[in-house]
Amino acid sequence: MSVLLMGIGVARGIAIGKAHVLLCEVPDIVEYALPVELLEHEVLRFGAALEKARFHLRSIRDHLPMTTPADVTAFIDIHLLMLEDSSLSKVPVDLIREQQCNAEWALKQQRDHLVHIFDSMDDPYLRTRKDDVDQVVNLVQRLLMGQSPSWGGSAHSLRGRVVIAEELSPADAVLFYHEGIAAFVSERGGPTSHAAILARSLDLPAVVGLRRARQFILEGETVILDGRRGVLLVEPDQRSLRYYEDRLQEDHSRIADLSRLSRLPARTLDGRRVRLMANVELPEDIDELAEVGAEGVGLYRTEFLYMNRSDPPDEEEQFAIYRGLVQVMDGNPVTIRIFDLGADKPFPGIELGQVSPNPALGLRGVRLCLRFPNLLVPQLRAILRVSAYGPVRMAIPMVTRTSEVMQVIRLVEQSRRDLRRDGFSFDEDMPLGGIVEVPAAALTVPSLARHLDFLSLGTNDLIQYTLAIDRTDDQVNYLYDPLHPAVLRLIYTTLRAGTKVGIPVGMCGEMAGDPRYTRLLIGLGLQELSMHPSSLPEVKQVINSSEYNRLAKLARKAVYAHDSEEILCLLDSMNEGV
Ligand code: PEP
Ligand code: MG
């Protein structure tokens, strides 16, 4: 009998294959007492397991192909750093000696202690760090117990298999990827969890948050995974199998067509031009931009330069990185967003003094930038200085009021005066824009437009703040809905107000890169979409097969729809033929 399971589709694509179910991720740990004379031997055994874990992670990292996305490498580096941290390398040793117990038990106690601390902190970023602790501890436990360091290396080949796991560590994901798995499912995680980011980076179809998946699927059963819809079909019947085999075939031919599109502009059949730009997170990301035909950078998330280090990047370091990007873009605009730290993107170098009771509503985005002018000013200077090398735009994250914008402008003006005095050149007219990611900004476009030159809709946060859904909380992920009428109305209001007051409005949230929404967005009037580079060809293909005038009528209806279901029906009509 076939079974249909629903999770969260995080990386598009269809996979058909045999399931490989990873059953016991956490080894059973037992405590045993050791005689004093064996304690130092136990400490050495623990040290050896740590060393093997380091060797394992280093050898994965060092053998990654050049094309491996930077975020995958960064995840593995974080795990390596954790192995060095005294909380995992030294405290268990103290526990072995104090409690005269085995290394596994000492490590388990320390793991429980750390997880308890993270649990009580109620911070979404630290929740993901808790998962990192678990993954690193699991690795060491497996090594202490003489097991293989990874879940890979199974007796049978994993090529073409769909891996079903409670959760995949970055290192395991990379190993499985190299073994040629077709897709993976994880029981935990949401659209922004590590597993989801990894799947997108590695271009592996994936479904996450599929709770208790391993109870429903047996090793070797045939499964079909639809990473777009978040569906997993177990032991499908012949009809479903044929349907998905055809879809898979269509996907293959579509991918072949896409690469031919990169040189063409995005333009609807009735001639409406749409500019497709790329979102960049790390300097390494820029290699892909020319390949996919990006017409500029619509969002450079500079906060990633500050994370996982204790000292902020100084003006010169930033200047060198931004200049590299501007030069690669060769005359196309580069939008550099001032650091959007706080909430799920902490910077250890900032002493906030107290833990925010609700980080998503606390000191983050522009609020944090303004609280720390000593961090902001070097960045403003670096951005201004690179504006001498090509078209640069500066964007402010999480704008909610004009006074914040004016404070940033004052600091920009001061930086301009200082740079002139110091003999640096820069673009005197460098555009300054704001990311619209809070309803307050969407509803006050005319006021913001008096001070800003452009706006970009940050739908990831706009949806979070409009629907009161923490985007990192997998308990409420199912309510995170880009098609909620309130979200569409805010997007439309922003666009209409922008047109009225003559300020360009683009979009740089994830919605912009999801081809399911492309026709709706261009129908609503968007002419600049910025997205992960890998999404760009498919979005372009949708645009180039669309008729703007038809979509504009349907999109207007969607704006006044009563619920997401009605909007979904309209979206289906728009997407006919996609
Ligand atoms: C957004 O919120 O849509 C956005 C682009 O910013 P980030 O995802 O970095 O919060
Ligand atoms: Mg945001």
Side-chain angles (χ1 to χ4, degrees), residues 468-533:
I469 304 297
D470 181 342
R471 61 194 259 209
T472 62
D473 184 345
D474 50 344
Q475 304 245 53
V476 286
N477 264 329
Y478 71 103
L479 292 170
Y480 189 89
D481 180 11
L483 295 184
H484 191 292
V487 174
L488 283 201
R489 281 175 214 170
L490 285 173
I491 293 174
Y492 187 61
T493 303
T494 310
L495 285 164
R496 231 181 32 177
T499 311
K500 212 160 158 195
V501 296
I503 182 173
V505 179
M507 180 180 282
C508 60
E510 289 290 305
M511 205 177 168
D514 190 329
R516 283 175 303 175
Y517 306 132
T518 305
R519 287 189 166 170
L520 173 63
L521 298 179
I522 57 173
L524 287 173
L526 274 152
Q527 287 192 277
E528 185 186 302
L529 300 173
S530 189
M531 63 200 73
H532 190 280

Side-chain angles (χ1 to χ4, degrees), residues 279 281 299 301 303-304 337 340 344-345 364 397 435-437 456-463 465 471 480 507-511:
N279 289 355
E281 274 155 29
L299 171 66
R301 291 179 161 103
E303 56 275 12
F304 282 85
R337 179 173 75 180
D340 181 26
D344 57 334
K345 293 185 271 195
R364 58 163 301 196
I435 310 291
V436 177
E437 42 196 340
S456 184
L457 285 150
T459 46
N460 305 339
D461 277 315
L462 187 61
I463 297 166
Y465 292 125
R471 61 194 259 209
Y480 189 89
M507 180 180 282
C508 60
E510 289 290 305
M511 205 177 168

Side-chain angles (χ1 to χ4, degrees), residues 8 122-128 130-131 187-194 208-209 211 343-344 358-360 460-461 464 467-481:
I8 303 161
D122 194 28
D123 176 317
Y125 177 74
L126 291 176
R127 278 206 292 271
T128 65
K130 182 179 91 173
D131 293 343
E187 292 183 346
R188 288 166 52 180
T192 53
S193 63
H194 284 179
V208 303
R211 285 163 203 269
D344 57 334
N358 193 340
N460 305 339
D461 277 315
Q464 151 164 281
L467 304 182
I469 304 297
D470 181 342
R471 61 194 259 209
T472 62
D473 184 345
D474 50 344
Q475 304 245 53
V476 286
N477 264 329
Y478 71 103
L479 292 170
Y480 189 89
D481 180 11

